[in-house]
Amino acid sequence: MNTFIQELQRRTPLGWLQLSYHKNRFLVALSGIAFADVLMFMQLGFQNALYDSNTRLNRALLADIVLISPQSRNMQNLATFSRRRLLQAEDIPGVKSAAPMYIGLITWKNPQTRRKTSVQALGFNPEQPALNIPEVNNQLDKIKLPDHFVFDRAARGEYNEAFSQIDAGQTVTTEVDKRTISISGLFKLGASFGADGTLVSSDENFLRLFPRRQPGSINLGLVNVQQGYEPKQVAEALKSHLPDDVKVLTLAEYVKFEEDYWKKESPIGFIFSLGVSMGFMVGVIIVYQVLSTDVNAHIKEYATFKAMGYGNSYLLGVIFEEALILAVLGFIPGFIVPLGLYRLAANATNLPVYMTVFRALIVLLLTLIMCILSGTIATRRLQSADPADMF
């Protein structure tokens, strides 16, 4: 090991000397790699925000098992099924309780700007908490009142003045389909790609917003199991007992069901994956152009090295040294710039766009692969260079 380190110390950093000799070309190459990294970081950040924001409500459900209609596609497109299935579910050993939840998208007037926007409304029996959100559970008495709701303080839009009034103990009113409702409390959940915010109230208040909905047609069945029972075992028993017009999922499976929709069925999930691939290809092309130009510009010098007895492996090492230098130095600005862009995007959209260590390592790895792949392509001419042909 010591011998290897000593050899490295004695070795002339030819790759670095060649790159740094043409400073303008070197800076352009670093800018290109940084651009490719920024592109990949942004696409991966938006993709993570897509999955994270659209599964937050699923993860916040206070249930071990969730019943949905087989026709349901995601949280914003939930079909209904008969409430009687909950009564049947309660006959299964291990089931502690089975409660209905109503979910629907509504268009309401922003209480501050009076502009119409879409928010998601949830309704459940306030005697039985349905969300694992302490701020909601502490305000269950408020949503028992007719036409009273609590609203998401992390919703997308201009609500600062309305939130200040509610925090001061006042009630804010607005309209939903010409019906006046009161916002008497706040909680924090967050916007998603499907809805700008969330309204929570009792099942009775929810049905007042949707007069055509029948109380017997529900969107979700929230099943909790008794202590000592495994949710998976109880879920299997429910699948055997209930008809095919209802789908039984554990809470983890329900979160995955939502995520899979956005990954596999939604076009937006594909677009973000394509964006990452495009960023990678842009980087490969840029680095290839830089290294290929370098090889062509110094082909006679490389041929001279060959004539002096240096093997292909030494010369290829020089090119890969350049590729690694470009990858590491190009990654630094490519990592720093997205930090500001993430903050800008998060403030503008209220979506969970943020940097993670795992994502930084993934992009660094992609950058190294990108540069090594480009270096491999660029060295094809170098390997076939013959000193006799050059002079």
Side-chain angles (χ1 to χ4, degrees):
M1 186 65 182
N2 289 334
T3 306
F4 177 72
I5 293 174
Q6 287 173 357
E7 285 184 4
L8 277 180
Q9 290 174 338
R10 285 198 299 268
R11 183 178 179 274
T12 302
L14 196 56
W16 167 252
L17 293 174
Q18 288 195 161
L19 284 174
S20 57
Y21 182 75
H22 299 285
K23 290 186 172 51
N24 289 338
R25 194 165 67 191
F26 186 33
L27 290 175
V28 170
L30 293 181
S31 301
I33 295 168
F35 173 74
D37 283 347
V38 169
L39 199 57
M40 288 191 286
F41 267 123
M42 295 312 295
Q43 296 297 321
L44 288 172
F46 290 144
Q47 189 179 54
N48 181 75
L50 172 71
Y51 302 149
D52 192 11
S53 65
N54 283 291
T55 57
R56 267 192 298 215
L57 180 55
N58 305 59
R59 286 183 271 116
L61 294 175
L62 200 55
D64 298 311
I65 297 168
V66 180
L67 307 184
I68 61 173
S69 165
Q71 306 301 320
S72 295
R73 300 180 63 196
N74 63 7
M75 191 61 93
Q76 283 77 45
N77 292 285
L78 287 171
T80 59
F81 63 95
S82 174
R83 188 171 179 167
R84 285 181 299 175
R85 300 293 173 248
L86 300 184
L87 298 176
Q88 293 174 295
E90 288 179 332
D91 293 336
I92 300 298
V95 172
K96 180 181 178 183
S97 63
M101 175 176 274
Y102 303 88
I103 300 178
L105 281 175
I106 60 168
T107 300
W108 79 336
K109 285 185 179 179
N110 182 318
Q112 181 175 319
T113 64
R114 313 311 289 180
R115 292 176 184 167
K116 290 186 176 180
T117 187
S118 294
V119 295
Q120 189 163 241
L122 311 182
F124 58 87
N125 182 359
E127 299 296 336
Q128 190 171 351
L131 295 172
N132 190 19
I133 304 176
E135 287 174 300
V136 172
N137 297 333
N138 292 336
Q139 301 180 86
L140 294 178
D141 287 340
K142 293 180 180 178
I143 63 175
K144 291 177 183 177
L145 300 172
D147 292 320
H148 276 247
F149 291 76
V150 291
F151 185 55
D152 183 3
R153 67 164 67 246
R156 186 166 43 239
E158 298 177 33
Y159 294 102
N160 291 339
E161 293 178 11
F163 290 164
S164 297
Q165 293 177 36
I166 296 170
D167 285 334
Q170 301 177 28
T171 298
V172 174
T173 60
T174 186
E175 289 183 15
V176 177
D177 288 337
K178 298 180 181 179
R179 186 180 186 89
T180 301
I181 66 170
S182 301
I183 310 301
S184 49
L186 299 170
F187 64 95
K188 189 172 184 179
L189 181 63
S192 70
F193 280 72
D196 287 341
T198 305
L199 270 175
V200 174
S201 191
S202 67
D203 46 0
E204 292 180 357
N205 285 330
F206 177 92
L207 293 171
R208 289 190 182 101
L209 295 182
F210 296 86
R212 295 182 181 177
R213 293 277 296 267
Q214 297 297 318
S217 296
I218 64 176
N219 297 110
L220 295 181
L222 306 182
V223 178
N224 283 291
V225 304
Q226 295 175 1
Q227 194 171 5
Y229 283 85
E230 285 294 325
K232 276 196 172 182
Q233 292 178 346
V234 177
E236 289 300 321
L238 285 169
K239 289 177 186 175
S240 304
H241 181 70
L242 297 176
D244 293 337
D245 60 358
V246 67
K247 193 171 184 177
V248 181
L249 301 169
T250 63
L251 185 60
E253 290 171 340
Y254 184 51
V255 173
K256 189 174 185 303
F257 166 81
E258 184 80 21
E259 189 172 311
D260 283 348
Y261 168 80
W262 293 100
K263 278 183 179 175
K264 300 173 183 175
E265 298 183 38
S266 165
I268 194 169
F270 172 77
I271 289 171
F272 288 144
S273 298
L274 182 63
V276 175
S277 303
M278 292 297 294
F280 182 82
M281 291 308 299
V282 166
V284 169
I285 293 170
I286 291 173
V287 179
Y288 168 73
Q289 287 293 335
V290 172
L291 296 179
S292 178
T293 302
D294 180 80
V295 169
N296 290 331
H298 298 92
I299 192 68
K300 290 185 178 179
E301 287 84 348
Y302 288 129
T304 303
F305 272 115
K306 277 193 171 183
M308 293 168 63
Y310 286 91
N312 271 331
S313 57
Y314 176 81
L315 301 179
L316 296 179
V318 173
I319 302 302
F320 285 120
E321 178 187 337
E322 293 183 26
L324 289 175
I325 291 171
L326 289 171
V328 174
L329 296 185
F331 177 79
I332 295 171
F335 171 77
I336 294 174
V337 172
L339 294 176
L341 294 177
Y342 279 173
R343 181 176 292 275
L344 184 67
N347 290 337
T349 62
N350 274 12
L351 290 171
V353 188
Y354 51 85
M355 181 65 74
T356 65
V357 174
F358 179 72
R359 189 179 310 141
L361 293 175
I362 288 291
V363 174
L364 176 59
L365 180 62
L366 287 174
T367 307
L368 291 171
I369 294 173
M370 179 174 77
C371 292
I372 291 173
L373 180 61
S374 303
T376 303
I377 300 171
T379 55
R380 285 183 303 175
R381 189 180 176 200
L382 178 60
Q383 293 183 62
S384 60
D386 188 342
D389 296 334
M390 301 296 152
F391 302 100

